[in-house]
Amino acid sequence: MPPDLNMFRIKGAKGRDLCDAHLGSTRRDFLRVGGAGMMGMTLNNILAAQDQSKASPHAGRDGWGKAKSVILLYLQGGPSHLDLWDPKENVPDKIRSAFKTIPTQIPGIHFTEILPKLAKVNDKFTTIRSMSYTPNGLFNHTAAIYQIMTGYTTDKVSPSGQLEPPSPKDFPNFGSNIIRFKPTDEPMLPFVMLPRPLQESNVVGKGGTAGFLGKAYDPYYLYPPGDDMKMSKMDAISVEDLQLRPEVFSTRLRRRANLRQTIESQMPAIEKAVEKYNLDNYYEQALNLIVSGKAREAFDLGMESDDLRDRYGRNTFGQSCLLARRLVEAGTRVVEVVWPKVANSDNHSWDHHKDLSKRMKTQSGPMLDGGLATLFEDLDERGMLDETLVVAIGEFGRAPEKGVSTSGNGNSADGRDHWPYCYTSVMGGAGIKRGYVHGKSDKTGSAPVELPVHPREVLATIYHSVGIDPETVVLNHLKQPRELVKAQAVEKLFA
């Protein structure tokens, strides 16, 4: 069959008004549907991939499809498990945390005094004390961030772990995959990332894009003005860009109407093929997002009581956690809250190469404790925790021995270097066990001795929770088949 017989072409104007700046006025004047792909996926590919996930052998297993929304709290910088969730007793001073241990709601399980609020609510979530992977160019932040966000490593990693800037060839952020296979059924932004980009030094946004899926699946980036030390920056949220300019709005409406008329006239059969997907709803949702103002209302933190805002913490992280709850409540599918400090920096960064005791006690610790504990309480009180998956994780932990270099960085006697061999993460909601500790580290927190969990398995568990087979195959920028992630969900985490 000649190649043009298995596709049709839609004439159209050049896309000067579109957001793809790199296309400029050279946008092709036709759209090919069928034999040629768009954003790496043809219509047949998309529908087949969705069917593949529905027919997954994992469908119906514990936790499958329980999550309507996902909130990832990304603790970039690498928190010290030994000084937060997994303190060790009867160890040398160079290993022991400077902080006292406190009991939690789970008998025999202790946190440090840095997390008093989380210690009172850890019966609402699972603590994974056996996160672990062997680094392969992943000893520094950017490469490790890319791995946890995409499930893949990259070929271009320097000895220090630095990567090249984001590229259209990158693997997609897991949130982009989720909104493609599980589009939201609400007139709401499907994927939001806030309050700052993923960043190490001058590498900004790596692992935080849709990569080869195309910009249509990028998150909505909500980065309020102000530097990382401006704790009130969430009060300056502006969502005016949700309101399309009238001339752009009318142009796009006309284009979409013409596109639909052309499809209907040239290939009516496609309507029958996709009728169960109710494409009219997608047009209505796009319009409703602008007309109804639902998104703008969700972004209005002033609608919350002062008491609740105080509980979350009047700081960037706490208010971001509150906004995450408001967004999923309004219908957003995925929210990624990026810890509001450059990965390799000072003050409330988790990258504690020095001054760990002071900085964690007065800055990063209280911010995490108030924000995460209140998020779990708030979701639970509203009946939302059963259908919202919450994950808090960093790219690695910190070295058991203080003052020792493991990554080429200098460390003071009150600092810990990077440590991917053993660390802690938290997962809760959407069928995840409550009051459960998964895995166990050795006596110095150096390595897991029970049930190790790789970051890729965390991603697989997230996909499983929203009802997507982790091994669903997609096509990359070279049209090569790739799994969403090469791992299986950790089903022991589910009740």
Side-chain angles (χ1 to χ4, degrees):
M1 178 182 293
D4 280 352
L5 292 185
N6 66 348
M7 66 185 73
F8 60 88
R9 298 184 181 186
I10 301 169
K11 301 290 184 180
K14 294 180 179 180
R16 292 179 181 273
D17 65 317
L18 300 180
C19 61
D20 299 274
H22 67 286
L23 295 175
S25 61
T26 63
R27 179 182 288 271
R28 290 173 295 188
D29 65 347
F30 57 85
L31 170 65
R32 298 186 178 190
V33 181
M38 182 172 61
M39 294 180 292
M41 293 286 283
T42 66
L43 177 63
N44 286 341
N45 292 148
I46 293 172
L47 301 185
Q50 289 176 340
D51 287 341
Q52 175 187 347
S53 196
K54 290 177 182 177
S56 167
H58 304 287
R61 303 279 287 271
D62 289 343
W64 175 266
K66 294 285 187 182
K68 290 184 179 180
S69 300
V70 177
I71 298 175
L72 177 76
L73 307 177
Y74 194 66
L75 310 180
Q76 73 171 358
S80 170
H81 53 299
L82 292 160
D83 297 288
L84 293 171
W85 334 85
D86 194 10
K88 300 298 180 181
E89 301 281 4
N90 302 315
V91 292
D93 289 344
K94 61 184 179 181
I95 294 174
R96 183 186 300 109
S97 174
F99 307 122
K100 298 176 182 178
T101 63
I102 58 174
T104 69
Q105 295 293 98
I106 306 173
I109 299 299
H110 289 71
F111 291 168
T112 71
E113 61 184 325
I114 295 300
L115 304 177
K117 296 176 181 177
L118 280 164
K120 294 178 180 178
V121 298
N122 72 328
D123 55 346
K124 298 182 184 294
F125 57 80
T126 281
T127 306
I128 304 174
R129 282 179 162 176
S130 55
M131 295 297 306
S132 178
Y133 63 92
T134 300
N136 180 17
L138 300 173
F139 237 119
N140 275 341
H141 304 279
T142 315
I145 290 171
Y146 186 80
Q147 174 183 245
I148 184 58
M149 289 296 174
T150 70
Y152 284 84
T153 56
T154 177
D155 295 332
K156 296 183 178 181
V157 184
S158 72
S160 69
Q162 289 277 347
L163 299 186
E164 60 182 6
S167 161
K169 300 176 183 179
D170 286 346
F171 278 90
N173 182 285
F174 77 92
S176 299
N177 283 326
I178 289 176
I179 64 169
R180 185 180 61 180
F181 290 110
K182 293 287 184 178
T184 179
D185 54 4
E186 297 285 344
M188 186 57 191
L189 298 168
F191 180 16
V192 178
M193 182 178 288
L194 70 148
R196 71 162 346 275
L198 300 163
Q199 181 179 355
E200 178 187 13
S201 300
N202 62 347
V203 181
V204 182
K206 191 70 171 181
T209 74
F212 60 68
L213 293 186
K215 290 186 177 181
Y217 297 103
D218 271 343
Y220 171 74
Y221 301 108
L222 182 71
Y223 301 153
D227 63 28
D228 287 344
M229 295 306 295
K230 185 178 180 181
M231 292 293 114
S232 62
K233 66 192 302 180
M234 295 302 290
D235 293 332
I237 293 173
S238 174
V239 291
E240 291 304 309
D241 52 347
L242 293 181
Q243 304 178 38
L244 292 176
R245 299 191 310 275
E247 66 273 17
V248 175
F249 188 55
S250 60
T251 299
R252 290 181 178 177
L253 280 179
R254 286 196 302 271
R255 178 179 294 123
R256 289 166 183 168
N258 292 336
L259 172 63
R260 189 162 181 79
Q261 291 170 6
T262 304
I263 292 175
E264 289 174 344
S265 64
Q266 292 193 26
M267 191 176 177
I270 199 170
E271 287 296 311
K272 182 176 182 180
V274 300
E275 61 184 357
K276 66 179 179 178
Y277 294 93
N278 203 354
L279 296 182
D280 286 327
N281 281 351
Y282 297 130
Y283 290 100
E284 292 173 8
Q285 289 169 17
L287 299 182
N288 288 343
L289 180 63
I290 306 301
V291 175
S292 72
K294 187 174 184 180
R296 291 191 294 278
E297 291 179 3
F299 283 107
D300 187 358
L301 293 175
M303 297 179 70
E304 299 290 342
S305 70
D306 286 341
D307 177 67
L308 185 60
R309 294 191 68 179
D310 290 342
R311 284 172 56 198
Y312 271 98
R314 295 282 185 159
N315 56 69
T316 312
F317 180 72
Q319 297 303 294
S320 294
C321 289
L322 173 56
L323 181 55
R325 190 225 79 206
R326 290 183 59 82
L327 289 171
V328 300
E329 194 171 31
T332 295
R333 182 75 72 202
V334 180
V335 182
E336 289 186 24
V337 176
V338 179
W339 187 259
K341 197 73 172 75
V342 178
N344 56 329
S345 60
D346 53 11
N347 286 295
H348 56 282
S349 167
W350 289 112
D351 198 28
H352 289 122
H353 291 283
K354 61 180 181 179
D355 298 330
L356 182 153
S357 300
K358 178 182 177 181
R359 290 165 53 198
M360 188 176 285
K361 185 172 185 177
T362 62
Q363 295 180 297
S364 54
M367 290 170 64
L368 172 64
D369 191 43
L372 182 54
T374 305
L375 179 61
F376 275 117
E377 288 179 314
D378 196 10
L379 289 171
D380 206 21
E381 290 166 1
R382 293 170 183 269
M384 296 172 60
L385 191 56
D386 289 341
E387 56 188 30
T388 305
L389 179 67
V390 179
V391 181
I393 189 171
E395 58 267 36
F396 37 60
R398 312 303 292 190
E401 189 171 345
K402 300 174 189 176
V404 174
S405 177
T406 60
S407 65
N409 289 288
N411 299 271
S412 73
D414 188 29
R416 299 185 193 268
D417 210 340
H418 308 164
W419 195 259
Y421 303 105
C422 187
Y423 59 109
T424 299
S425 67
V426 161
M427 298 184 77
I432 295 290
K433 292 176 181 175
R434 292 174 177 242
Y436 170 59
V437 176
H438 183 86
K440 181 181 178 181
S441 63
D442 63 18
K443 63 181 181 179
T444 60
S446 302
V449 292
E450 293 177 5
L451 304 173
V453 176
H454 194 283
R456 288 194 298 266
E457 293 177 292
V458 170
L459 283 187
T461 304
I462 293 173
Y463 287 130
H464 178 97
S465 184
V466 297
I468 299 173
D469 189 330
E471 295 185 320
T472 297
V473 174
V474 297
L475 302 179
N476 68 7
H477 63 289
L478 298 176
K479 301 297 184 281
Q480 299 167 326
R482 294 290 185 269
E483 299 91 341
L484 294 183
V485 62
K486 295 180 180 180
Q488 293 293 321
V490 185
E491 294 188 34
K492 288 185 177 180
L493 298 177
F494 294 102

